[in-house]
């Protein structure tokens, strides 16, 4: 009878050792999974920031190009208006005076 009890005690100890080992493996796997998640999150964040920076840079370049084009158009229009004024300011003055006198 003692040998059966001893055998059962050995089996119980072996079972407890297996359960402890399983818990240790479970904890190790949980740490590994958390590290993988953290690494994935860091990598994803870095890629996202890189893409956002690239999009922002491209948009700033487009904006600068549009502003430069608009400045050129405005400058050209202003130059044309100045040229027209220089060539026709006397006619404009006469037309204004004529309209004032007629009223």
């Amino acid at each position: 009878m003692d040998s059966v009890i001893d055998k059962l005690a050995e089996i119980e100890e072996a079972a407890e050792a297996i359960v402890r080992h399983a818990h240790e493996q479970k904890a190790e796997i949980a740490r590994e999974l958390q590290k993988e998640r953290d690494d994935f999150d860091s990598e994803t964040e870095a890629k996202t920031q890189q893409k956002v920076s690239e999009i922002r840079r491209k948009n700033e370049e487009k904006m600068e190009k549009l502003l430069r084009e608009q400045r050129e158009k405005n400058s050209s229009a202003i130059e044309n208006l100045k040229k027209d004024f220089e060539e026709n300011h006397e006619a404009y003055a006469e037309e204004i005076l004529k309209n004032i006198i007629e009223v």
Side-chain angles (χ1 to χ4, degrees):
M1 180 79 165
D2 284 340
S3 68
V4 172
I5 293 174
D6 290 340
K7 261 309 189 198
L8 287 173
E10 287 177 24
I11 292 172
E12 179 69 23
E13 287 176 18
E16 287 176 1
I18 291 171
V19 169
R20 273 193 309 273
H21 182 67
H23 283 296
E24 290 169 1
Q25 284 183 323
K26 179 181 173 185
E28 180 61 30
I29 290 170
R31 283 190 295 273
E32 288 174 7
L33 286 174
Q34 185 61 47
K35 183 178 181 331
E36 288 178 12
R37 270 184 291 217
D38 292 345
D39 291 346
F40 176 79
D41 289 346
S42 295
E43 185 179 324
T44 302
E45 177 68 22
K47 286 180 181 179
T48 301
Q49 287 300 323
Q50 182 180 5
K51 286 187 181 250
V52 167
S53 294
E54 181 67 19
I55 290 169
R56 184 173 287 132
R57 184 188 61 77
K58 285 181 180 179
N59 284 339
E60 286 174 0
E61 287 175 0
K62 286 179 185 177
M63 183 63 71
E64 284 300 318
K65 181 182 175 189
L66 288 172
L67 287 171
R68 187 172 44 253
E69 290 172 355
Q70 192 62 45
R71 282 187 205 109
E72 289 171 4
K73 287 179 186 177
N74 290 346
S75 179
S76 177
I78 289 170
E79 288 302 316
N80 288 338
L81 288 171
K82 284 180 180 179
K83 182 179 176 186
D84 182 57
F85 177 75
E86 289 298 322
E87 292 175 358
N88 299 308
H89 70 279
E90 288 181 18
Y92 294 148
E94 288 176 12
E95 186 68 29
I96 291 171
L97 185 59
K98 179 180 169 189
N99 286 337
I100 292 172
I101 293 172
E102 288 179 359
V103 175

